[in-house]
Amino acid sequence: MADEALIVVDLQNDFCPGGALAVTGGDEIVPLVNDLIRNAEHVVMTQDWHPAGHSSFASSHPGKQPFEMIEMPYGPQTLWPDHCIQGSIGSDFHSGLAWSKAELIIRKGFRPGIDSYSAFFENDHVTPTGLAGYLRERNIGAITLVGLATDFCVAFSALDAAKQGFATTVRLDACRGIDLNGSVDTMLGRMRAAGVTLV
């Protein structure tokens, strides 16, 4: 499977129970993800990596609450609780995650003025992370995505991967979702329509 990569999305403390933006059951997937890592030839991790005071934090917008929507220059943006601040314990990978096999760690969300869900592009859908070029240069044409959260960073990564021409699979048993106003079903539908394989 030399032409395939496993991409583990944002399996960080702040997205697990007890974290600042906890995804229900987020820690339950760690043993399965570790099994997938053991059996994968190529492993890439993504890490949400926000500076303090990031523009996607509700605390940066007086009078706004977490999970409200605002318009940013690049489009609609969900406001989040402060999370995954650079160098914090919350930004660390889950302590049970066997992350040391990762060949590449893509940090995203580090630009103060723009959020970043996808492993491939910032939320303006224009600014690349460099992941597509990295995979192409290594002749990797197929990826499997796992991690957190199904309906945000995993889904947007999958949509961008498919658009970039990668054969894209999402292992739903190794993901957990936030589910804001039915966002899991919405994003599952969008992924299916884009040709992403959901298993």
Side-chain angles (χ1 to χ4, degrees):
M1 305 296 209
D3 62 346
E4 293 186 17
L6 176 70
I7 300 180
V8 181
V9 177
D10 296 1
L11 199 36
Q12 294 164 261
N13 290 326
D14 267 347
F15 295 126
C16 291
L21 184 48
V23 178
T24 304
D27 54 345
E28 298 169 358
I29 65 173
V30 171
L32 176 53
V33 171
N34 285 344
D35 281 344
L36 294 168
I37 289 170
R38 270 190 287 277
N39 292 305
E41 190 160 343
H42 301 294
V43 179
V44 173
M45 303 268 174
T46 71
Q47 190 174 22
D48 224 25
W49 196 248
H50 294 304
H54 192 268
S55 62
S56 69
F57 295 167
S59 62
S60 298
H61 303 271
K64 295 292 185 185
Q65 296 299 312
F67 311 112
E68 284 187 40
M69 294 289 289
I70 63 165
E71 276 298 320
M72 295 288 272
Y74 52 84
Q77 171 67 49
T78 301
L79 294 177
W80 304 108
D82 292 26
H83 67 280
C84 294
I85 292 170
Q86 296 170 359
S88 68
I89 290 169
S91 70
D92 289 346
F93 292 123
H94 185 281
S95 60
L97 181 65
W99 63 269
S100 59
K101 192 177 171 184
E103 299 170 351
L104 177 71
I105 296 172
I106 292 277
R107 285 180 166 163
K108 57 195 186 57
F110 56 81
R111 292 179 174 88
I114 186 167
D115 207 5
S116 188
Y117 298 155
S118 169
F120 291 88
F121 289 94
E122 305 281 19
N123 282 7
D124 60 1
H125 308 293
V126 176
T127 307
T129 64
L131 178 56
Y134 175 85
L135 294 172
R136 284 197 192 102
E137 218 168 74
R138 303 186 69 212
N139 296 313
I140 294 169
I143 64 163
T144 297
L145 288 154
V146 299
L148 305 172
T150 313
D151 42 339
F152 285 91
C153 296
V154 173
F156 282 94
S157 297
L159 291 171
D160 281 344
K163 199 180 293 179
Q164 291 290 308
F166 295 97
T168 306
T169 300
V170 173
R171 279 284 299 261
L172 293 174
D173 56 345
C175 299
R176 292 292 183 272
I178 296 175
D179 208 15
L180 282 182
N181 307 314
S183 53
V184 168
D185 280 346
T186 299
M187 295 311 289
L188 291 178
R190 282 185 62 184
M191 286 191 281
R192 279 192 198 98
V196 174
T197 302
L198 302 178
V199 295

